[in-house]
Amino acid sequence: MRATRPVRPAFVRGAALLCTVLSAAGTLSACGLGGADKPTIAHKHSLTIGVKEDQPSLGVKGKDGTYQGFDVDVATYIAGRLGVPKSRIRWRTTNSSVREKALADGTVDMIVATYSITATRKRVVTFAGPYYVAHQDTLVAPGNTTIHNVRDLKGRKICAVTGSNSWRRVIEERKIAAVPVQAPTYGACMSDLADGKLDAVSTDDLILAGFAAGHPGKIINAPFTDEKYGVGLKKGDLEGCEQINRAITAMYQDGTAARLLRKWFGTSGLKLTTSVPQFEGCS
């Protein structure tokens, strides 16, 4: 005896018909290609994007509540390529210490916030990109004439931002006996440097360039790492990762990346890379 085919409720049949019509019209994101609960950002109608609020030229929150910076512009471009216009983006300040948790619990859909791709982080986060490869350097007070490279940080007080790996690259990877001084953000690091509580701030050159434009201090121009800035996604969102990688490729190929880099860092003196970065691969 042949099994009777189950009859779907009317509202389910209606939703399926609506999705068929919308798909034919090219509005695929409205149906999520398999359901609104599909665990991917690839077809979402709107996005909540995590960014920094206190990193000049990268992510800054103004008094009016709006965000601006290179990371914000990159995120806006990527969202547009995913079919989400700026009007349907919600920005959320996401500090280094809470990035993994914010993705895991759905507080944000993706993070574009100088989020370096590391083997440890890849265990709990899926990364698209990188969208840029920065290099760790060091910023010192204007009158400092004794720190010329990372080795000179031995015995010096350096900033250790909660959730950031930069200070670890000095002390744990380079085995340099610097003294870590805890701080919640890089904005706090700059205040501590100005107050004489620190000897140096060592982190990505794009972060330092943004701060150096508005704070006393000088970059020693002695880079010693590659920092691959990735777009953080909830672990397992491979479809979203692949679509974002295509968006990043387009951003470099159509000249947008070069324009944004010049816009935010053109006067910094840093050597900017305007070719498509080598992707890590979605996993």
Side-chain angles (χ1 to χ4, degrees):
M1 178 176 176
R2 189 172 62 180
T4 303
R5 187 176 181 179
V7 178
R8 292 181 296 172
F11 74 89
V12 175
R13 297 198 304 272
L17 178 60
L18 175 60
C19 283
T20 301
V21 173
L22 291 173
S23 297
T27 316
L28 297 177
S29 60
C31 299
L33 289 180
D37 60 346
K38 190 174 183 180
T40 179
I41 70 165
H43 313 292
K44 296 197 71 170
H45 178 74
S46 61
L47 290 171
T48 300
I49 303 178
V51 292
K52 294 291 182 66
E53 68 169 26
D54 67 340
Q55 290 186 348
S57 298
L58 286 157
V60 174
K61 185 177 182 180
K63 293 181 179 179
D64 61 354
T66 61
Y67 292 78
Q68 63 174 350
F70 176 68
D71 283 350
V72 177
D73 285 350
V74 168
T76 301
Y77 181 94
I78 290 172
R81 283 276 170 172
L82 295 177
V84 178
K86 189 174 182 178
S87 61
R88 296 206 299 269
I89 297 173
R90 181 185 180 190
W91 304 101
R92 182 180 289 274
T93 298
T94 310
N95 292 330
S96 300
S97 59
V98 300
R99 288 182 295 204
E100 287 80 22
K101 181 178 184 299
L103 287 170
D105 65 19
T107 301
V108 296
D109 297 306
M110 68 180 188
I111 293 177
V112 185
T114 60
Y115 201 1
S116 296
I117 301 171
T118 68
T120 299
R121 288 172 177 165
K122 286 173 74 172
R123 295 173 188 165
V124 293
V125 173
T126 289
F127 282 102
Y131 61 91
Y132 192 76
V133 180
H135 308 282
Q136 185 161 338
D137 212 318
T138 304
L139 184 142
V140 298
N144 189 299
T145 59
T146 59
I147 298 176
H148 305 287
N149 56 57
V150 67
R151 293 184 298 277
D152 293 332
L153 296 177
K154 181 179 179 180
R156 306 302 183 96
K157 291 180 289 185
I158 65 171
C159 203
V161 172
T162 306
S164 173
N165 285 323
S166 294
W167 66 275
R168 298 182 185 279
R169 296 190 188 283
V170 175
I171 295 174
E172 298 177 5
E173 294 182 11
R174 293 299 187 280
K175 307 300 181 183
I176 295 168
V179 180
V181 178
Q182 295 295 321
T185 66
Y186 281 106
C189 291
M190 296 305 299
S191 297
D192 287 348
L193 183 67
D195 292 341
K197 298 176 182 177
L198 296 171
D199 295 304
V201 179
S202 185
T203 190
D204 310 351
D205 52 10
L206 290 189
I207 295 175
L208 296 178
F211 279 117
H215 294 77
K218 62 179 181 179
I219 300 174
I220 64 175
N221 284 308
F224 58 94
T225 67
D226 288 339
E227 300 297 328
K228 301 175 182 179
Y229 288 171
V231 178
L233 302 172
K234 191 168 187 176
K235 184 64 177 176
D237 188 358
L238 304 187
E239 183 178 2
C241 176
E242 290 166 357
Q243 289 207 18
I244 290 173
N245 281 348
R246 287 194 286 271
I248 293 170
T249 299
M251 182 177 72
Y252 277 87
Q253 291 178 339
D254 67 16
T256 298
R259 177 177 59 79
L260 294 178
L261 286 165
R262 288 193 299 268
K263 171 184 175 182
W264 293 107
F265 305 105
T267 61
S268 68
L270 292 177
K271 184 178 180 181
L272 300 169
T273 302
T274 57
S275 56
V276 183
Q278 182 176 349
F279 293 154
E280 289 284 294
C282 299
S283 61

